């Protein structure tokens, strides 16, 4: 397996182009199953998770042409080949469960492997299932698979979500576009990725309003039309590179992104002494000599993103004072703490709360992480640490950060990939993210 070698201590300086959002692209790719017309997507990031979603769609019968140079993907679901999303794919990427709503809506039947637990929490899919049942689906779990049927098709309904789950909102929203009549999704997720999915569905012909607010309204249609959509910039990648400038006292110009996607996170970064200057479709970021401490509580959008919690903790480790973190979205998302402590960080954890006593410098070590965001927090720590850090299990980063080492190298970072052989661990590890 590949490793990253990072020699810390360089203040980053340069320009980084932000890629399309992984978490917007994944449900949008799944939405292609709803239509027999072609869907052209632009700004598609070249990531392992995107490749896996394409593999899943291909086995359902969807034709895809991915021009990686142009970052363009063409999808067309002409004829169904399989109604099954197999365990072999779902276990590697939880977002595979997003094919359930589209398959059920269009073909009135689907069998999707249950994703199971993962490194950041148990992550059940009960809200997805209950929402689809409200649309008239008959669902039972057998031999690890969700068996769903809707003879005669789905019917619009009012659905009150007990929690604004991102994935459940997306699955129900996609299903509702082809259901007969009106659907209201109450207490829906408001994340920008949900809004991007709704915008793509609207471009395909769906009738949706209220996306980005608490209640989403859908009027079912009979069929879709050809469409083209540009994936929105990745707000988690944006926040991560803002923090890379912050932790190294550097100066980065982030292109192809929008500060409004990271409003809650920007407030925290400014409290830490990082200077942010919004420009047209870009953000200028300047890190201070020494970061100030801060307090973060993760929340659903528009609150502070759980996907940027591990990264901010790396910055807190070298801030001048005591910071705190409270993780409220996932029950087990502090797995980066013991690895940061191996680099000298002083962090105490009590349940979902962490107290971080800032020190002047972290020290390099050999580290590894159990999920995507935890891995990148170690990259941030390593960029600021004294000495040479070796980061194992780089495949986590390849799932969600396009060309991470290339982007950082271009800004002066001493980072390189050490190629390793396949040792099978990747296939055994079935976790996180996505
Ligand atoms: N939950 C339930 N039941 C459900 C669905 C969710 O209890 O049926 C719980 C989960 O266990 C979790 C919480 O609700 O504790 C939030 O889950 P949500 O459904 O909102 O998250 P998700 O759709 O599984 C997406 C992102 C995650 C991101 C979360 C929260 C994608 C593909 N994944 O996951 O991204 O952390 O929303 O914003 O969009 C990542 O990119 O690293 C990542 C983990």
């Amino acid at each position: 397996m590949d490793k990253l070698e990072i020699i810390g201590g360089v203040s980053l300086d340069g320009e980084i182009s932000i890629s399309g959002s992984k978490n917007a692209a994944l449900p949008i790719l799944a939405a292609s199953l709803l239509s027999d017309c072609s869907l052209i997507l632009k700004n598609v990031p070249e990531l392992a998770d995107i490749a896996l979603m394409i593999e899943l769609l291909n086995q359902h019968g969807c034709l895809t042409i991915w021009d990686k140079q142009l970052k363009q993907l063409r999808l067309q679901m002409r004829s169904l080949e399989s109604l099954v999303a197999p365990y072999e794919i779902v276990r590697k990427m939880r977002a595979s469960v997003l094919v359930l709503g589209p398959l059920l809506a269009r073909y009135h039947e689907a069998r999707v492997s249950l994703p199971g637990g993962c490194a950041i929490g148990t992550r059940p899919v009960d809200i997805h299932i209950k929402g689809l049942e409200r649309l008239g689906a008959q669902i039972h779990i057998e031999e690890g698979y969700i068996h769903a049927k809707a003879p005669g098709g789905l019917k619009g309904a009012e659905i009150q979500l007990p929690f604004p789950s991102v994935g459940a909102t997306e699955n129900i929203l996609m299903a509702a576009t082809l259901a007969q009549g009106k659907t209201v999704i109450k207490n829906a997720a408001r994340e920008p990725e949900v809004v991007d999915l709704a915008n793509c569905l609207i471009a395909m012909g769906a009738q949706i309003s209220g996306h980005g607010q608490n209640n989403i309204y859908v009027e079912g249609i009979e069929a879709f039309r050809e469409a083209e959509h540009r994936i929105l910039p990745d707000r988690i990648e944006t926040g991560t590179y803002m923090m890379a400038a912050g932790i190294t006292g550097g100066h980065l110009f982030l292109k192809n992104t929008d500060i409004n996607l990271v409003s809650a996170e920007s407030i925290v970064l400014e409290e830490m002494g990082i200077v942010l200057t919004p420009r047209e479709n870009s953000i200028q970021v300047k890190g201070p000599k020494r970061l100030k401490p801060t307090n973060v509580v993760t929340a659903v959008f528009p609150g502070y993103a759980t996907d940027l919690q591990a990264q901010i903790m790396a910055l807190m480790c070298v801030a001048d004072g005591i910071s705190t973190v409270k993780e409220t979205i996932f029950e087990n998302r502090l797995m980066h703490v013991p690895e940061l402590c191996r680099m000298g960080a002083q962090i105490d954890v009590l349940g979902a709360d962490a107290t971080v006593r800032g020190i002047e410098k972290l020290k390099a070590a050999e580290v590894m992480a159990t999920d995507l965001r935890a891995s990148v927090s170690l990259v941030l720590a390593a960029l600021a640490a004294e000495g040479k850090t070796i980061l194992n299990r780089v495949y986590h980063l390849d799932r969600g950060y396009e060309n991470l080492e290339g982007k950082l190298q271009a800004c002066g970072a001493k980072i390189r990939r050490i190629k390793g052989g396949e040792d099978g661990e990747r296939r055994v590890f079935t976790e996180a993210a996505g």
Side-chain angles (χ1 to χ4, degrees), residues 188-370:
R190 292 184 286 162
E191 270 67 5
E193 294 77 17
V194 174
V195 175
D196 206 40
L197 169 65
N199 287 336
C200 178
L201 291 167
I202 291 168
M204 291 164 67
Q207 294 193 15
I208 301 171
S209 61
H211 42 298
Q213 293 160 41
N214 286 329
N215 297 342
I216 302 180
Y217 302 87
V218 188
E219 180 82 51
I221 58 166
E222 303 226 319
F224 288 94
R225 56 175 182 245
E226 279 189 8
E228 205 178 284
H229 178 78
R230 186 176 173 82
I231 305 290
L232 97 160
D234 196 312
R235 65 191 169 106
I236 307 304
E237 193 195 20
T238 303
T240 302
Y241 288 124
M242 286 161 89
M243 295 187 206
I247 202 167
T248 63
H251 192 174
L252 291 180
F253 188 73
L254 307 180
K255 292 191 305 184
N256 302 325
T257 188
D258 179 353
I259 199 153
N260 295 312
L261 293 169
V262 283
S263 298
E265 295 77 14
S266 294
I267 293 170
V268 172
L269 294 180
E270 284 174 336
E271 264 171 25
M272 295 188 93
I274 299 170
V275 180
L276 305 174
T277 316
R279 305 260 185 237
E280 206 187 325
N281 295 325
S282 52
I283 312 168
Q284 202 167 308
V285 192
K286 193 164 173 10
K289 277 214 163 61
R290 179 89 195 262
L291 292 160
K292 288 187 256 182
T294 188
N295 304 304
V296 161
V297 180
T298 62
V300 296
F301 192 84
Y304 188 97
T306 174
D307 289 345
L308 283 166
Q309 178 261 106
Q311 299 88 318
I312 197 78
M313 200 182 287
L315 272 66
M316 291 171 169
C317 290
V318 290
D320 191 8
I322 297 176
S323 302
T324 61
V325 166
K326 188 181 193 62
E327 171 58 49
T328 71
I329 306 295
F330 291 106
E331 72 255 35
N332 190 27
R333 212 177 197 184
L334 294 173
M335 298 290 278
H336 40 286
V337 169
E339 296 303 300
L340 287 170
C341 289
R342 296 187 68 249
M343 299 178 74
Q346 296 194 1
I347 310 172
D348 293 316
V349 172
L350 193 64
D353 293 279
T355 305
V356 187
R357 272 162 241 282
I359 55 170
E360 206 143 321
K361 277 246 174 272
L362 289 167
K363 294 222 163 51
E366 183 153 353
V367 287
M368 66 173 189
T370 44

Side-chain angles (χ1 to χ4, degrees), residues 415-434:
I415 177 168
R416 71 179 182 107
R417 184 178 289 245
I418 304 168
K419 287 270 175 203
E422 273 284 329
D423 63 4
E425 196 171 355
R426 173 170 191 166
R427 269 167 274 133
V428 176
F429 241 73
T430 62
E431 76 278 341

Side-chain angles (χ1 to χ4, degrees), residues 22-23 123-127 165-167 307 329-330 373 434:
K22 163 179 87 80
N23 288 348
R123 300 180 77 179
V125 286
D126 54 318
I127 306 175
S165 152
V166 173
D307 289 345
I329 306 295
F330 291 106
R373 311 303 173 186

